[in-house]
Each structure stands twice: as structure tokens, then as C-alpha cells.
Amino acid sequence: MPILEVQHIEKHFGATQVLTDISFSLEQGQTISIIGSSGSGKTTLLRCLNFLEKPDGGSISVNGSIIFDASDPKTQLESEIRQKRLHFGLVFQNFNLFPQYTALQNVTLARELLAKERGGETKVQIEEAGRELLAQMGLADRASHYPHQLSGGQQQRVAIARALALHPDILCFDEPTSALDPELTGEVLKVIRSLAEQKTTMIIVTHEMAFARDVADQVIFMDGGVIVEQGEPHQVIDHPREERTKQFLARYAEA
């Protein structure tokens, strides 16, 4: 059974349809890379999965349970949105760290708030887990640093640790290197590659074609709010069938 099933997702902003009949599935331990031009709907899709945007149609299932169905109001209760978001850890383009908190505090904040609501973990336990995550990101010596004291690559690694802190079913990345200088991109991609090797279940929106080819189990190419082509990396990136995919990859190669 797939860990994630997305069926016929639709999304409009006013009269503009930005997602049309989006369907795909993801198995436990797999990585999907989503590629496509700016404005193709990639970020909107991630925001729908994380319920930062409400889909206008379709359904989303995690571990065999429907968590959203546009035809069923019971799955759309605002009171349950935060619980549903726990399935998805989202790493944004621009880090989105709290500037007034240290790296460790950024990582542990959400988990501390959850513990206050539900109990079960002490602050000491949460901080210990946060330090372990920062160490995993190569930032053991940066726990007490504030975001302005960190490089862009270090900030993005803190953001990854923060997304992992709540043990999401699926880790989602929205162009995780787009705000980084080229020399800092490699350190973030190295962390994501390591997570893939550990069989972390991930969806990665990326413009890094070589990385997508090497790391992903599946690649989805989106254009104009639709999935044009999906399959294994060697098929979609190296031997695309669809003309729109070929044109996109040719433009990318020329850039």
C-alpha cells in the first residue's frame, strides 16, 4: 500500500486553474522529484499537500486513510488541519526560521508546543533530540547560534532538522537550494542525498536535474498545472516521451 495517494487534485485561484487532475502515489522510503518551469504548479501542489492551500477537488490519503476529500466536508474541518499537517514536513525555499530563536530553539519549538498539548516528552528529551538532529545536519557546534549568525546553507540545514523533528511521514522540499549561492548548494544537496540513502520518504521540487536523476525513484514533470509525464528518472530526464518534456529539458540544458 502506498504511503501517499493523491487523486485528481484540482486548485483554482479565482478564475485561474493552477492544478488540473493531479494524481500520483508514493511508496514508503521512496523519493519523488517534481520538475518544471516556474508557474507550472509545483509549489501549489506542495502547499495543497501541507494544507497551506485547500484543494478544490480530489482526495489525499496517507497510510490508507483519507485525510482530505473535496466531496466530504467531514475531512475539511479547520480544527483538524494542524493534525493533518503533521504527516508532512515542509522545507521552504527561504528557510523561514524565527530570527529571535537559536538554531536549537527553531528545531525544538513545534515539538515543545505539541508536548504541552499532549504530554509525553520533557523539555530535556526534546532538546536532546533536537541536538541529535543538528548533529545529523553537521551543525552540532551551531546549536546556540541565531539565524543571522549562520550561512544560508546552514540555515537551510536547520530548517531540514526542524521539519524532521516531528517525525513526518513525508518530507517535502520546495526548491531547497534556490535561495543559496552555488557554493552553498552542495552542502544542502549532500544532506538530502543522505536522507534518500536512509530511505526517508520525500517529495522534492527542484531545478537540479542531475540531482533529481541521481536521487529520485520517480520524476514528475509538470507544465501548466498538469502532470505531463512521470516515471523513473532515466525515462523522464534521459528519454522523455512527451514533446513538452523534451522542450523543457532542452531549455534547461541551454540555460
Side-chain angles (χ1 to χ4, degrees):
M1 177 189 299
I3 190 171
L4 173 68
E5 291 185 276
V6 176
Q7 296 289 330
H8 309 299
I9 289 294
E10 308 269 340
K11 180 62 184 176
H12 300 80
F13 291 127
T16 302
Q17 186 159 356
V18 292
L19 293 176
T20 303
D21 196 23
I22 301 294
S23 297
F24 66 91
S25 62
L26 177 63
E27 299 290 337
Q28 178 79 43
Q30 282 192 334
T31 294
I32 285 180
S33 287
I34 304 178
I35 62 174
S37 301
S38 177
S40 60
K42 308 183 302 295
T43 292
T44 300
L45 174 57
L46 284 192
R47 290 176 65 85
C48 285
L49 292 178
N50 200 53
F51 299 100
L52 294 172
E53 301 288 352
K54 179 182 175 182
D56 298 312
S59 66
I60 301 169
S61 299
V62 176
N63 290 318
S65 297
I66 296 174
I67 64 170
F68 175 83
D69 185 340
S71 65
D72 184 358
K74 291 184 294 184
T75 68
Q76 303 173 43
L77 299 176
E78 289 293 329
S79 59
E80 297 182 6
I81 291 297
R82 187 163 58 167
Q83 176 64 34
K84 293 176 180 181
R85 283 180 181 154
L86 294 176
H87 293 294
F88 301 91
L90 181 56
V91 179
F92 298 89
Q93 294 181 26
N94 295 312
F95 323 139
N96 284 22
L97 300 180
F98 293 106
Q100 71 273 31
Y101 294 142
T102 65
L104 179 60
Q105 289 169 330
N106 268 280
V107 172
T108 61
L109 178 62
R111 193 157 165 176
E112 288 177 3
L113 293 174
L114 196 64
K116 286 181 180 179
E117 292 179 4
R118 303 180 180 180
E121 284 189 303
T122 66
K123 184 178 179 64
V124 171
Q125 290 172 320
I126 293 170
E127 287 191 353
E128 181 180 353
R131 291 183 187 279
E132 289 177 358
L133 281 170
L134 287 174
Q136 183 181 345
M137 298 296 117
L139 297 170
D141 60 344
R142 296 291 189 269
S144 61
H145 286 58
Y146 290 87
H148 74 272
Q149 297 173 308
L150 303 172
S151 71
Q154 290 170 338
Q155 289 185 61
Q156 191 62 298
R157 284 183 280 157
V158 172
I160 296 171
R162 177 180 61 184
L164 288 167
L166 292 176
H167 305 294
D169 294 296
I170 301 148
L171 188 58
C172 301
F173 294 87
D174 185 12
E175 297 280 12
T177 61
S178 64
L180 299 177
D181 294 331
E183 62 268 24
L184 299 176
T185 294
E187 65 186 54
V188 173
L189 294 182
K190 181 179 179 181
V191 167
I192 301 174
R193 188 184 299 273
S194 175
L195 292 171
E197 291 170 353
Q198 296 167 37
K199 297 301 181 182
T200 304
T201 309
M202 297 187 289
I203 300 174
I204 307 171
V205 169
T206 183
H207 61 274
E208 303 283 350
M209 292 302 126
F211 179 75
R213 181 192 295 109
D214 292 345
V215 171
D217 298 287
Q218 297 182 61
V219 172
I220 291 175
F221 169 62
M222 292 183 64
D223 184 52
V226 302
I227 292 178
V228 176
E229 189 164 357
Q230 58 182 311
E232 295 181 0
H234 71 88
Q235 171 196 317
V236 176
I237 295 177
D238 297 326
H239 304 287
R241 296 189 305 266
E242 302 295 330
E243 187 59 33
R244 277 193 281 179
T245 315
K246 295 176 183 177
Q247 291 174 359
F248 166 77
L249 292 168
R251 291 195 302 271
Y252 174 83
E254 293 170 358

